[in-house]
Amino acid sequence: PTPTHTTPRCSFAHTRISPSSRGANMAAVASPSLASTAARAATIGKRSLNHVRNHHRLLAQPQQGGCLSEASSASILCDTAAASAAAAAAAAAAVPARAFARRAVLTAAVAALSASAAPTPLARANPFDDFAEGQLANKAKFFMGPPALSLERLDALQASEVTLTVDELAVVLGKATLDCLNPRGPLAAYANVRDVCTLNILVRSVTKGPAVTNAAASAEAMAVTAAARDLEKSYDELAAELALDQRGDSRDAAFRKSKVLIRQFAAALLACFRLSEARNAATEAAFPALFA
């Protein structure tokens, strides 16, 4: 009978493929369009199996008046999948190498920075300690004011004592000794029940408080107490010298001794605050005549 269809159709019957027909099919696969498709698949290397199957269905359609058998399509699929797998394996092998290279560069950069970085100086343990010491240093400067004033007034008394009357001399001496001799005004009556000598008031403040506290047996407390006692004694000797009618070298020596003892008392008073050397140096610089 006459066939109803003249157009060749593809047969997907499960038959054995002869070597000659397999060669013809492979020749069809080697067409330019199919070769370019395989090349693109090999270059990309990361397309999924679904994309490859889509290409398989496209290639299975009739081309150039003929058709591709199921075996030919299977061969295309295997070849394309093999090329894609090889490209994917090469890309996967290259990833660890690139990651290792990047990690090596970062490690080298960190090592270089660590080697070149200068050590950071340690900060002070407690900034509040600095603040407290600064406040204590300011208080120490305040306590240096009375000895510095006494030294200044002794210089003025030594320069003018020959022109003063006995009554004027007593008043000026009381001012120069900070009321340790001849207390002035209301202090004269109050001195009968309480010590009004400024030197002794300072000593009590730096030993028993409130300025600072130093135990009576401490070196600082003993030194400042002895310095105040020696200074008071020198004031008594100066007052006795000023009471004489004749003025000689002994009077100048009495003034000189009191001035030396004032400086020693100021140094002992400053030591009671137990400041650092830098703080003490700053305090001494603020009173150059007292710490000359």
Side-chain angles (χ1 to χ4, degrees):
T2 304
T4 57
H5 299 284
T6 59
T7 304
R9 289 184 179 274
C10 292
S11 174
F12 290 95
H14 297 280
T15 58
R16 296 178 62 85
I17 306 299
S18 64
S20 59
S21 65
R22 184 181 294 111
N25 290 334
M26 294 303 296
V29 172
S31 62
S33 61
L34 296 179
S36 61
T37 303
R40 286 198 302 271
T43 303
I44 297 174
K46 293 183 180 180
R47 290 182 176 177
S48 63
L49 187 59
N50 292 331
H51 291 134
V52 177
R53 288 172 177 169
N54 291 335
H55 281 286
H56 172 229
R57 286 195 295 269
L58 178 63
L59 294 174
Q61 296 176 0
Q63 297 182 8
Q64 300 179 354
C67 67
L68 295 176
S69 66
E70 183 180 6
S72 300
S73 301
S75 176
I76 293 173
L77 177 61
C78 293
D79 293 343
T80 305
S84 301
V95 170
R98 290 196 300 270
F100 177 77
R102 188 181 301 109
R103 192 160 49 245
V105 170
L106 291 176
T107 303
V110 171
L113 289 175
S114 301
S116 62
T120 303
L122 294 177
R124 291 188 65 93
N126 191 348
F128 293 102
D129 291 343
D130 289 341
F131 177 77
E133 189 178 11
Q135 294 293 101
L136 197 61
N138 292 335
K139 189 182 296 185
K141 289 180 181 179
F142 178 78
F143 272 64
M144 295 301 106
L149 180 61
S150 180
L151 182 62
E152 181 182 347
R153 288 178 176 178
L154 280 179
D155 287 336
L157 176 60
Q158 185 177 8
S160 62
E161 55 94 10
V162 294
T163 63
L164 299 177
T165 64
V166 175
D167 294 337
E168 291 173 344
L169 190 60
V171 173
V172 175
L173 184 61
K175 291 180 180 180
T177 60
L178 304 178
D179 298 307
C180 292
L181 292 179
N182 304 328
R184 299 158 291 166
L187 292 178
Y190 191 62
N192 295 327
V193 294
R194 190 173 180 86
D195 189 1
V196 295
C197 177
T198 303
L199 300 179
N200 295 331
I201 294 173
L202 295 176
V203 170
R204 284 196 301 270
S205 184
V206 298
T207 54
K208 299 179 180 180
V212 288
T213 302
N214 288 280
S218 64
E220 292 81 5
M222 293 171 58
V224 72
T225 301
R229 183 174 58 249
D230 293 342
L231 182 55
E232 280 192 272
K233 184 178 179 181
S234 72
Y235 286 161
D236 292 334
E237 294 174 356
L238 180 58
E241 187 65 32
L242 291 174
L244 300 176
D245 293 335
Q246 296 180 353
R247 189 181 187 281
D249 295 337
S250 59
R251 185 169 296 184
D252 292 336
F255 273 109
R256 187 164 51 251
K257 181 179 179 180
S258 293
K259 294 176 184 179
V260 170
L261 292 176
I262 287 177
R263 293 187 174 95
Q264 293 180 2
F265 172 74
L269 191 66
L270 179 60
C272 290
F273 290 90
R274 298 185 300 277
L275 298 172
S276 63
E277 294 183 2
R279 299 283 189 181
N280 284 338
T283 302
E284 293 173 0
F287 300 91
L290 189 60
F291 293 95

